[in-house]
Amino acid sequence: MFRTYFHLFSDGALLFIFPILSCIALFLITYLLRRYRKCLGLASYDSDILDTATQNTMSGGYVVLGFVLVLAMTTVSELESGVSKEAAAIRGLDRMLVLEGSAPALESRKYLLEYTKSILHDEWPELKDGRGSEKTSIALRNLFNALDGIGSGTIKDNIVYSKVLDQADRVAELRNNRNYNVQSNLPDTFYIVSFVSLIGVILICGLRLIEATRVRTVALAIQVVMLTLMFSAVVIVDLPYIGDTVTSSEAIQKAYESILSQAPDGVPKP
């Protein structure tokens, strides 16, 4: 649910919206607490307790969000590394087919090219929805069917063919890993708990601002803004295939162009 909602905003909008909303909430809560102070039984309170509560909740929030941000960035780094490995595996398979050199092997390069093209045009746009493309799965099956047509010959040919199959398995494995990891975003429970916790922090800050100097007001507002900025960063990094900051398909695009530049038989150059 949250993924679908957040991807409607750009990264800049996310970095702007959450701090602004938190400040509005802070000053609205402070206004209401001051206005209905006597009705709520807040005529007197222990400022030392509120200072301690504010400090503890802020510190806890920074630690938790910082830890989650590191985890999310690690996941993004692994996704980008996986894409690079997948592109390298595709190039490696193409080289092995050229090395094998038989007519069926060279014919298989066409299916490898079509498979790589399907990743870019069919599958990549669907990754934002947390799934792969059926068209790409079909292209991969066509590739393996073409590889099965490579006949065995001498011992040397058999060794090369074995390596071709190993490399093809590697290509399929990396694609499966990518499609699986695209679903590794933070669960909705994290966002629910984070929203509730942020409201709690803002409420405590509002209680402290019932009686506060201008300096304390500015200091608490800045702390709330910094905390929500960190939360915004988590949201941005947690959506590796949605928004402005996304995992790029550039490595696979270069692999596709590399295969295409060598113009497998029957495949015209652009």
PDB file of all heavy atoms in Angstrom, residues 57-82:
ATOM      1  N   THR A  57      13.654  10.000  23.108  1.00  0.00           N
ATOM      2  CA  THR A  57      12.910   9.631  21.902  1.00  0.00           C
ATOM      3  C   THR A  57      13.639  10.070  20.642  1.00  0.00           C
ATOM      4  O   THR A  57      13.664   9.330  19.636  1.00  0.00           O
ATOM      5  CB  THR A  57      11.504  10.258  21.913  1.00  0.00           C
ATOM      6  OG1 THR A  57      11.608  11.678  22.121  1.00  0.00           O
ATOM      7  CG2 THR A  57      10.646   9.642  23.001  1.00  0.00           C
ATOM      8  N   MET A  58      14.254  11.247  20.672  1.00  0.00           N
ATOM      9  CA  MET A  58      15.011  11.705  19.517  1.00  0.00           C
ATOM     10  C   MET A  58      16.201  10.790  19.254  1.00  0.00           C
ATOM     11  O   MET A  58      16.454  10.367  18.122  1.00  0.00           O
ATOM     12  CB  MET A  58      15.501  13.138  19.743  1.00  0.00           C
ATOM     13  CG  MET A  58      14.428  14.198  19.620  1.00  0.00           C
ATOM     14  SD  MET A  58      13.865  14.385  17.912  1.00  0.00           S
ATOM     15  CE  MET A  58      12.707  15.745  18.110  1.00  0.00           C
ATOM     16  N   SER A  59      16.926  10.469  20.308  1.00  0.00           N
ATOM     17  CA  SER A  59      18.100   9.607  20.155  1.00  0.00           C
ATOM     18  C   SER A  59      17.700   8.239  19.624  1.00  0.00           C
ATOM     19  O   SER A  59      18.340   7.695  18.712  1.00  0.00           O
ATOM     20  CB  SER A  59      18.819   9.456  21.501  1.00  0.00           C
ATOM     21  OG  SER A  59      19.259  10.705  21.986  1.00  0.00           O
ATOM     22  N   GLY A  60      16.624   7.679  20.197  1.00  0.00           N
ATOM     23  CA  GLY A  60      16.149   6.374  19.734  1.00  0.00           C
ATOM     24  C   GLY A  60      15.710   6.410  18.281  1.00  0.00           C
ATOM     25  O   GLY A  60      15.987   5.484  17.507  1.00  0.00           O
ATOM     26  N   GLY A  61      15.026   7.487  17.907  1.00  0.00           N
ATOM     27  CA  GLY A  61      14.572   7.620  16.524  1.00  0.00           C
ATOM     28  C   GLY A  61      15.726   7.695  15.547  1.00  0.00           C
ATOM     29  O   GLY A  61      15.707   7.047  14.490  1.00  0.00           O
ATOM     30  N   TYR A  62      16.771   8.489  15.890  1.00  0.00           N
ATOM     31  CA  TYR A  62      17.938   8.597  15.021  1.00  0.00           C
ATOM     32  C   TYR A  62      18.640   7.249  14.863  1.00  0.00           C
ATOM     33  O   TYR A  62      19.056   6.869  13.767  1.00  0.00           O
ATOM     34  CB  TYR A  62      18.922   9.629  15.574  1.00  0.00           C
ATOM     35  CG  TYR A  62      18.493  11.054  15.378  1.00  0.00           C
ATOM     36  CD1 TYR A  62      18.436  11.940  16.451  1.00  0.00           C
ATOM     37  CD2 TYR A  62      18.143  11.528  14.121  1.00  0.00           C
ATOM     38  CE1 TYR A  62      18.035  13.254  16.287  1.00  0.00           C
ATOM     39  CE2 TYR A  62      17.744  12.849  13.941  1.00  0.00           C
ATOM     40  CZ  TYR A  62      17.697  13.710  15.028  1.00  0.00           C
ATOM     41  OH  TYR A  62      17.294  15.008  14.840  1.00  0.00           O
ATOM     42  N   VAL A  63      18.780   6.518  15.957  1.00  0.00           N
ATOM     43  CA  VAL A  63      19.484   5.229  15.916  1.00  0.00           C
ATOM     44  C   VAL A  63      18.727   4.232  15.042  1.00  0.00           C
ATOM     45  O   VAL A  63      19.308   3.578  14.167  1.00  0.00           O
ATOM     46  CB  VAL A  63      19.671   4.664  17.344  1.00  0.00           C
ATOM     47  CG1 VAL A  63      20.182   3.226  17.282  1.00  0.00           C
ATOM     48  CG2 VAL A  63      20.632   5.531  18.141  1.00  0.00           C
ATOM     49  N   VAL A  64      17.412   4.125  15.261  1.00  0.00           N
ATOM     50  CA  VAL A  64      16.612   3.153  14.509  1.00  0.00           C
ATOM     51  C   VAL A  64      16.576   3.506  13.022  1.00  0.00           C
ATOM     52  O   VAL A  64      16.828   2.661  12.155  1.00  0.00           O
ATOM     53  CB  VAL A  64      15.182   3.067  15.076  1.00  0.00           C
ATOM     54  CG1 VAL A  64      14.305   2.212  14.171  1.00  0.00           C
ATOM     55  CG2 VAL A  64      15.207   2.489  16.479  1.00  0.00           C
ATOM     56  N   LEU A  65      16.278   4.766  12.708  1.00  0.00           N
ATOM     57  CA  LEU A  65      16.199   5.166  11.309  1.00  0.00           C
ATOM     58  C   LEU A  65      17.560   5.078  10.625  1.00  0.00           C
ATOM     59  O   LEU A  65      17.649   4.712   9.452  1.00  0.00           O
ATOM     60  CB  LEU A  65      15.642   6.587  11.188  1.00  0.00           C
ATOM     61  CG  LEU A  65      14.147   6.740  11.490  1.00  0.00           C
ATOM     62  CD1 LEU A  65      13.732   8.206  11.401  1.00  0.00           C
ATOM     63  CD2 LEU A  65      13.307   5.913  10.534  1.00  0.00           C
ATOM     64  N   GLY A  66      18.615   5.406  11.359  1.00  0.00           N
ATOM     65  CA  GLY A  66      19.961   5.287  10.798  1.00  0.00           C
ATOM     66  C   GLY A  66      20.292   3.840  10.465  1.00  0.00           C
ATOM     67  O   GLY A  66      20.855   3.539   9.403  1.00  0.00           O
ATOM     68  N   PHE A  67      19.931   2.933  11.366  1.00  0.00           N
ATOM     69  CA  PHE A  67      20.177   1.511  11.133  1.00  0.00           C
ATOM     70  C   PHE A  67      19.378   1.011   9.933  1.00  0.00           C
ATOM     71  O   PHE A  67      19.908   0.303   9.072  1.00  0.00           O
ATOM     72  CB  PHE A  67      19.796   0.718  12.390  1.00  0.00           C
ATOM     73  CG  PHE A  67      19.960  -0.767  12.243  1.00  0.00           C
ATOM     74  CD1 PHE A  67      21.220  -1.341  12.230  1.00  0.00           C
ATOM     75  CD2 PHE A  67      18.856  -1.586  12.118  1.00  0.00           C
ATOM     76  CE1 PHE A  67      21.388  -2.712  12.091  1.00  0.00           C
ATOM     77  CE2 PHE A  67      18.999  -2.961  11.983  1.00  0.00           C
ATOM     78  CZ  PHE A  67      20.265  -3.527  11.971  1.00  0.00           C
ATOM     79  N   VAL A  68      18.108   1.386   9.853  1.00  0.00           N
ATOM     80  CA  VAL A  68      17.261   0.960   8.732  1.00  0.00           C
ATOM     81  C   VAL A  68      17.768   1.558   7.423  1.00  0.00           C
ATOM     82  O   VAL A  68      17.756   0.894   6.374  1.00  0.00           O
ATOM     83  CB  VAL A  68      15.798   1.369   8.984  1.00  0.00           C
ATOM     84  CG1 VAL A  68      14.940   1.082   7.752  1.00  0.00           C
ATOM     85  CG2 VAL A  68      15.242   0.623  10.186  1.00  0.00           C
ATOM     86  N   LEU A  69      18.244   2.806   7.468  1.00  0.00           N
ATOM     87  CA  LEU A  69      18.769   3.447   6.261  1.00  0.00           C
ATOM     88  C   LEU A  69      19.986   2.699   5.736  1.00  0.00           C
ATOM     89  O   LEU A  69      20.134   2.492   4.524  1.00  0.00           O
ATOM     90  CB  LEU A  69      19.121   4.904   6.559  1.00  0.00           C
ATOM     91  CG  LEU A  69      19.679   5.725   5.383  1.00  0.00           C
ATOM     92  CD1 LEU A  69      18.670   5.767   4.243  1.00  0.00           C
ATOM     93  CD2 LEU A  69      20.024   7.141   5.843  1.00  0.00           C
ATOM     94  N   VAL A  70      20.856   2.270   6.643  1.00  0.00           N
ATOM     95  CA  VAL A  70      22.031   1.494   6.234  1.00  0.00           C
ATOM     96  C   VAL A  70      21.606   0.174   5.594  1.00  0.00           C
ATOM     97  O   VAL A  70      22.152  -0.239   4.564  1.00  0.00           O
ATOM     98  CB  VAL A  70      22.957   1.238   7.443  1.00  0.00           C
ATOM     99  CG1 VAL A  70      24.048   0.243   7.076  1.00  0.00           C
ATOM    100  CG2 VAL A  70      23.586   2.547   7.913  1.00  0.00           C
ATOM    101  N   LEU A  71      20.613  -0.491   6.182  1.00  0.00           N
ATOM    102  CA  LEU A  71      20.121  -1.750   5.622  1.00  0.00           C
ATOM    103  C   LEU A  71      19.544  -1.531   4.225  1.00  0.00           C
ATOM    104  O   LEU A  71      19.795  -2.322   3.303  1.00  0.00           O
ATOM    105  CB  LEU A  71      19.061  -2.363   6.541  1.00  0.00           C
ATOM    106  CG  LEU A  71      19.536  -2.962   7.860  1.00  0.00           C
ATOM    107  CD1 LEU A  71      18.349  -3.505   8.642  1.00  0.00           C
ATOM    108  CD2 LEU A  71      20.548  -4.075   7.609  1.00  0.00           C
ATOM    109  N   ALA A  72      18.755  -0.467   4.073  1.00  0.00           N
ATOM    110  CA  ALA A  72      18.145  -0.187   2.774  1.00  0.00           C
ATOM    111  C   ALA A  72      19.214   0.135   1.728  1.00  0.00           C
ATOM    112  O   ALA A  72      19.128  -0.314   0.582  1.00  0.00           O
ATOM    113  CB  ALA A  72      17.158   0.972   2.899  1.00  0.00           C
ATOM    114  N   MET A  73      20.228   0.901   2.113  1.00  0.00           N
ATOM    115  CA  MET A  73      21.310   1.235   1.185  1.00  0.00           C
ATOM    116  C   MET A  73      22.115  -0.006   0.812  1.00  0.00           C
ATOM    117  O   MET A  73      22.564  -0.152  -0.328  1.00  0.00           O
ATOM    118  CB  MET A  73      22.212   2.303   1.809  1.00  0.00           C
ATOM    119  CG  MET A  73      21.549   3.653   1.977  1.00  0.00           C
ATOM    120  SD  MET A  73      22.619   4.900   2.747  1.00  0.00           S
ATOM    121  CE  MET A  73      23.866   5.090   1.476  1.00  0.00           C
ATOM    122  N   THR A  74      22.280  -0.924   1.765  1.00  0.00           N
ATOM    123  CA  THR A  74      22.973  -2.181   1.475  1.00  0.00           C
ATOM    124  C   THR A  74      22.194  -3.002   0.458  1.00  0.00           C
ATOM    125  O   THR A  74      22.774  -3.588  -0.464  1.00  0.00           O
ATOM    126  CB  THR A  74      23.169  -2.996   2.765  1.00  0.00           C
ATOM    127  OG1 THR A  74      23.935  -2.233   3.706  1.00  0.00           O
ATOM    128  CG2 THR A  74      23.890  -4.305   2.478  1.00  0.00           C
ATOM    129  N   THR A  75      20.870  -3.034   0.624  1.00  0.00           N
ATOM    130  CA  THR A  75      20.028  -3.764  -0.326  1.00  0.00           C
ATOM    131  C   THR A  75      20.141  -3.168  -1.716  1.00  0.00           C
ATOM    132  O   THR A  75      20.258  -3.893  -2.715  1.00  0.00           O
ATOM    133  CB  THR A  75      18.560  -3.734   0.134  1.00  0.00           C
ATOM    134  OG1 THR A  75      18.452  -4.351   1.414  1.00  0.00           O
ATOM    135  CG2 THR A  75      17.666  -4.470  -0.855  1.00  0.00           C
ATOM    136  N   VAL A  76      20.118  -1.842  -1.809  1.00  0.00           N
ATOM    137  CA  VAL A  76      20.243  -1.175  -3.106  1.00  0.00           C
ATOM    138  C   VAL A  76      21.597  -1.486  -3.733  1.00  0.00           C
ATOM    139  O   VAL A  76      21.701  -1.753  -4.939  1.00  0.00           O
ATOM    140  CB  VAL A  76      20.057   0.343  -2.952  1.00  0.00           C
ATOM    141  CG1 VAL A  76      20.419   1.063  -4.249  1.00  0.00           C
ATOM    142  CG2 VAL A  76      18.624   0.663  -2.578  1.00  0.00           C
ATOM    143  N   SER A  77      22.645  -1.463  -2.909  1.00  0.00           N
ATOM    144  CA  SER A  77      23.991  -1.777  -3.415  1.00  0.00           C
ATOM    145  C   SER A  77      24.053  -3.199  -3.949  1.00  0.00           C
ATOM    146  O   SER A  77      24.668  -3.462  -4.998  1.00  0.00           O
ATOM    147  CB  SER A  77      25.014  -1.584  -2.287  1.00  0.00           C
ATOM    148  OG  SER A  77      26.318  -1.916  -2.731  1.00  0.00           O
ATOM    149  N   GLU A  78      23.411  -4.127  -3.261  1.00  0.00           N
ATOM    150  CA  GLU A  78      23.394  -5.519  -3.716  1.00  0.00           C
ATOM    151  C   GLU A  78      22.613  -5.655  -5.023  1.00  0.00           C
ATOM    152  O   GLU A  78      22.995  -6.434  -5.908  1.00  0.00           O
ATOM    153  CB  GLU A  78      22.784  -6.408  -2.639  1.00  0.00           C
ATOM    154  CG  GLU A  78      23.665  -6.548  -1.396  1.00  0.00           C
ATOM    155  CD  GLU A  78      22.994  -7.348  -0.301  1.00  0.00           C
ATOM    156  OE1 GLU A  78      21.793  -7.657  -0.448  1.00  0.00           O
ATOM    157  OE2 GLU A  78      23.660  -7.668   0.697  1.00  0.00           O
ATOM    158  N   LEU A  79      21.511  -4.903  -5.150  1.00  0.00           N
ATOM    159  CA  LEU A  79      20.741  -4.942  -6.381  1.00  0.00           C
ATOM    160  C   LEU A  79      21.564  -4.426  -7.562  1.00  0.00           C
ATOM    161  O   LEU A  79      21.575  -5.027  -8.639  1.00  0.00           O
ATOM    162  CB  LEU A  79      19.466  -4.109  -6.229  1.00  0.00           C
ATOM    163  CG  LEU A  79      18.349  -4.699  -5.375  1.00  0.00           C
ATOM    164  CD1 LEU A  79      17.249  -3.667  -5.160  1.00  0.00           C
ATOM    165  CD2 LEU A  79      17.775  -5.943  -6.021  1.00  0.00           C
ATOM    166  N   GLU A  80      22.259  -3.323  -7.357  1.00  0.00           N
ATOM    167  CA  GLU A  80      23.079  -2.757  -8.427  1.00  0.00           C
ATOM    168  C   GLU A  80      24.230  -3.693  -8.786  1.00  0.00           C
ATOM    169  O   GLU A  80      24.562  -3.865  -9.963  1.00  0.00           O
ATOM    170  CB  GLU A  80      23.610  -1.394  -8.003  1.00  0.00           C
ATOM    171  CG  GLU A  80      22.516  -0.333  -7.870  1.00  0.00           C
ATOM    172  CD  GLU A  80      23.053   1.002  -7.396  1.00  0.00           C
ATOM    173  OE1 GLU A  80      24.209   1.031  -6.928  1.00  0.00           O
ATOM    174  OE2 GLU A  80      22.320   2.009  -7.484  1.00  0.00           O
ATOM    175  N   SER A  81      24.821  -4.317  -7.770  1.00  0.00           N
ATOM    176  CA  SER A  81      25.883  -5.280  -8.022  1.00  0.00           C
ATOM    177  C   SER A  81      25.349  -6.479  -8.798  1.00  0.00           C
ATOM    178  O   SER A  81      26.008  -6.983  -9.711  1.00  0.00           O
ATOM    179  CB  SER A  81      26.495  -5.742  -6.694  1.00  0.00           C
ATOM    180  OG  SER A  81      27.468  -6.752  -6.900  1.00  0.00           O
ATOM    181  N   GLY A  82      24.126  -6.920  -8.442  1.00  0.00           N
ATOM    182  CA  GLY A  82      23.528  -8.045  -9.142  1.00  0.00           C
ATOM    183  C   GLY A  82      23.258  -7.739 -10.599  1.00  0.00           C
ATOM    184  O   GLY A  82      23.446  -8.600 -11.475  1.00  0.00           O
TER     185      GLY A  82
END
